[in-house]
Amino acid sequence: MPQADQISSAPPRPAQLSPVPLSELARQLGVDAPASEAAATGITHDSRAVLPGDVYAALSGARFHGADFATQAASLGAVAVLTDPSGTERAAATGLPVLTVPDPRARMGALAASIYGAPGDGLLQIGITGTSGKTTTSYLVEGGLRRAAEKDGGVTGLIGTVESRIGDERLKSERTTPEATDLQALFAVMRERGVTSVAMEVSSHALVLGRVDGCVFDIAVFTNLSPEHLDFHPDMEDYFQAKRQLFTKARSRAGVVNLDDEYGFRLITESEVPVTTFSAEGHPDADWRAADVEVGPLGSTFTVHGPDGLTVQAAAPLPGPFNVANALAAIAALVAAGIDPQTAADGVAAVPGVPGRLERVDAGQDYLAVVDYAHKPDAVESVLYAIRKVTDGRVHAVLGCGGDRDPHKRNAMGAALARLCDTAVLTSDNPRTEDPLAILATMLAGAAEVPAYERGTVLVEEDRAAAIASVVAHAEPGDAVLVLGKGHELGQDIAGVVRPFDDKLVLREAIERTRTAGAPTSRTDDQIS
């Protein structure tokens, strides 16, 4: 399967290093200073990524303890090991100084910030959290930051699920929010390259696991909350409390919160920092409101009403009402950060698109073809409703559910696709170690719960490429084809093996094959089954 050009880079490290004595790090940790006079110039939690002068953080994992790899770290030039009591003996066997604390993960972020000279202190940091919209909102925020930076020659940064960016340089992302050691190193590189502001996605995992320790965001943004990651969080309350951490004084200075979301409404009263509210639905109590919304196939225009009678003309550069909310969130956050409202709105409107988020694929076909990352019930429904609003014809969609992840959403996702599509093709996403057919059986059971008169044609095709070809074969002029679930991803994880797979390329090739073959211009409903 062909694969798009990948953005790639090992986690970057700053070039300008100022050694920090181990004795100083020990003092910060509150442990006895080692006899060694060595100094640290970096820190990592990955034994394979150790560079000479690093502190190696040996953490306890689900299957292994990082101390098991301390010898490898020592051979690569580590100057000390940070670990817990259970790892101390193995770490000490390397002959390296050992800094032992009860919970090294909880200390790692602050230690990394110290080693790299508090690199985030000089950055305007806007952190975005929520279930849906984090990636899109971060791109929109970065667009506003970029427009503001153009006036003084500044450089902007972006950190998130799809990629990280330092100015125009693109770096591969391994997870939504980097581990604390990589994040602080990335901040240090940004500082070296003149970055003055950064937009960043902040996941619930990042907050719980301390990946943003050492950061205090100038603005924290809350988009929404719906069931997700319930394989990591025991329930929605735990999920909400994880998100709420971003709105504590230890994590941020001010908040921007979606008043239209029930959890956002609750967060307003529970936030420890001052909160500004926004409402894409035009709630009169919101500080920032959207009005006169005009939804189109490529995006939406709307009027922003702000505090003190302020009015700004704005646009969401992606279709769908939920992207009006994302654009409004970005504008409110940018203004809260001190950026002129019209500059903020213009920067948001100028964003050319977001990879894998309602991303159009145009191969000369006479119907709309879109790839989107929607991989939870609410997101699937929102995307399908958005496309329905701008499509005169029928809607044909492909969707799968990831394996080794929250199984409770699979039934609902199958039902949503069946109910809202004329042709719903259930397929594999990233089955990982699970049986793909078992996942599909659960999705199909959900589809079967939709009354026959309310659902479209439902097909099951385990092979994702064949599923995509199937919906393309059904498309007629004026229809819409959606490939959902994987978005920007460039691989498919099946039985522990990641194979190259890019939904955009596969969709484009299917369209081109159909056009080359001279697909019929029309067909009867009886033929579509």
Side-chain angles (χ1 to χ4, degrees):
M1 191 63 59
Q3 189 170 4
D5 292 338
Q6 292 193 35
I7 51 175
S8 62
S9 175
R13 295 288 194 98
Q16 302 169 14
L17 304 172
S18 298
V20 180
L22 294 183
S23 58
E24 172 60 20
L25 299 181
R27 185 193 65 78
Q28 292 180 27
L29 293 169
V31 300
D32 293 337
S36 172
E37 296 182 1
T41 53
I43 181 172
T44 182
H45 62 288
D46 186 345
S47 62
R48 300 163 297 182
V50 169
L51 296 178
D54 276 357
V55 171
Y56 169 52
L59 309 177
S60 177
R63 293 190 300 164
F64 302 103
H65 195 293
D68 295 331
F69 307 99
T71 299
Q72 180 184 25
S75 70
L76 293 173
V79 295
V81 179
L82 171 70
T83 192
D84 57 27
S86 67
T88 298
E89 184 176 344
R90 281 168 285 177
T94 65
L96 293 175
V98 180
L99 305 172
T100 300
V101 294
D103 186 359
R105 180 178 285 280
R107 310 299 298 274
M108 192 169 63
L111 202 67
S114 178
I115 289 172
Y116 292 119
D121 289 356
L123 294 173
L124 169 62
Q125 299 177 42
I126 300 180
I128 300 99
T129 199
T131 302
S132 300
K134 293 190 299 298
T135 297
T136 297
T137 303
S138 69
Y139 272 81
L140 300 179
V141 168
E142 196 268 343
L145 293 173
R146 185 171 289 231
R147 179 60 62 92
E150 290 173 353
K151 298 180 178 180
D152 55 16
V155 180
T156 60
L158 174 74
I159 301 172
T161 302
V162 177
E163 63 185 352
S164 291
R165 291 203 308 229
I166 304 174
D168 292 326
E169 180 184 358
R170 304 170 69 200
L171 307 171
K172 184 178 180 181
S173 290
E174 297 296 336
R175 51 174 60 91
T176 297
T177 309
E179 190 59 80
T181 52
D182 294 335
L183 177 59
Q184 295 299 325
L186 179 56
F187 280 164
V189 174
M190 288 183 172
R191 178 179 58 191
E192 287 183 349
R193 300 186 189 176
V195 172
T196 56
S197 57
V198 61
M200 176 176 162
E201 295 182 58
V202 183
S203 66
S204 61
H205 290 69
L207 291 160
V208 172
L209 298 176
R211 293 177 190 161
V212 290
D213 287 357
C215 300
V216 179
F217 292 90
D218 295 281
I219 306 295
V221 181
F222 178 87
T223 59
N224 51 63
L225 201 70
S226 61
E228 173 73 333
H229 302 305
L230 297 182
D231 53 338
F232 180 77
H233 300 286
D235 51 38
M236 286 297 293
E237 179 63 21
D238 186 80
Y239 187 24
F240 172 75
Q241 291 301 332
K243 296 291 191 183
R244 193 182 73 83
Q245 287 186 37
L246 190 58
F247 296 82
T248 60
K249 292 179 180 178
R251 300 284 193 193
S252 64
R253 298 183 175 90
V256 171
V257 175
N258 183 4
L259 187 63
D260 296 330
D261 183 82
E262 62 176 316
Y263 284 98
F265 190 83
R266 174 182 169 185
L267 181 59
I268 294 167
T269 61
E270 296 187 20
S271 171
E272 294 181 8
V273 298
V275 165
T276 298
T277 59
F278 67 92
S279 169
E281 297 175 5
H283 195 293
D285 292 337
D287 298 303
W288 295 90
R289 305 177 302 282
D292 307 318
V293 177
E294 296 288 340
V295 178
L298 299 179
S300 304
T301 60
F302 59 101
T303 301
V304 177
H305 293 289
D308 302 320
L310 176 70
T311 300
V312 175
Q313 297 306 308
L318 293 89
F322 55 92
N323 279 315
V324 173
N326 292 334
L328 183 61
I331 293 168
L334 290 160
V335 176
I339 293 172
D340 170 73
Q342 193 61 62
T343 298
D346 291 345
V348 167
V351 172
V354 180
R357 273 61 178 177
L358 284 175
E359 186 172 1
R360 294 183 61 158
V361 173
D362 188 354
Q365 77 277 9
D366 48 11
Y367 53 85
L368 178 66
V370 171
V371 169
D372 192 83
Y373 190 54
H375 59 282
K376 43 192 169 287
D378 287 356
V380 169
E381 290 183 358
S382 294
V383 167
L384 290 172
Y385 279 127
I387 294 299
R388 280 283 186 195
K389 284 179 178 285
V390 296
T391 302
D392 294 328
R394 294 179 296 178
V395 174
H396 317 283
V398 170
L399 177 68
C401 290
D404 301 338
R405 299 293 186 271
D406 180 11
H408 304 291
K409 65 184 181 183
R410 296 171 185 172
N411 188 286
M413 288 174 68
L417 203 73
R419 188 175 64 256
L420 297 174
C421 293
D422 297 283
T423 310
V425 182
L426 308 180
T427 191
S428 290
D429 187 280
N430 292 310
R432 300 183 176 89
T433 65
E434 286 195 61
D435 181 349
L437 290 181
I439 297 173
L440 286 168
T442 305
M443 294 183 70
L444 184 60
E449 292 175 3
V450 179
Y453 65 87
E454 291 184 11
R455 67 175 183 251
T457 298
V458 179
L459 306 174
V460 177
E461 172 53 70
E462 179 184 348
D463 182 274
R464 191 172 182 88
I468 292 172
S470 174
V471 288
V472 168
H474 283 80
E476 298 179 4
D479 287 356
V481 167
L482 294 88
V483 180
L484 304 176
K486 289 174 60 58
H488 63 282
E489 295 177 0
L490 299 177
Q492 187 178 26
D493 188 337
I494 302 175
V497 178
V498 179
R499 300 166 172 83
F501 198 103
D502 181 343
D503 277 354
K504 297 187 295 296
L505 283 182
V506 176
L507 176 56
R508 178 180 296 278
E509 289 183 346
I511 294 169
E512 290 173 345
R513 284 197 305 272
T514 302
R515 294 184 67 225
T516 301
T521 56
S522 64
R523 54 176 66 84
T524 66
D525 286 342
D526 287 342
Q527 290 174 301
I528 305 175
S529 60

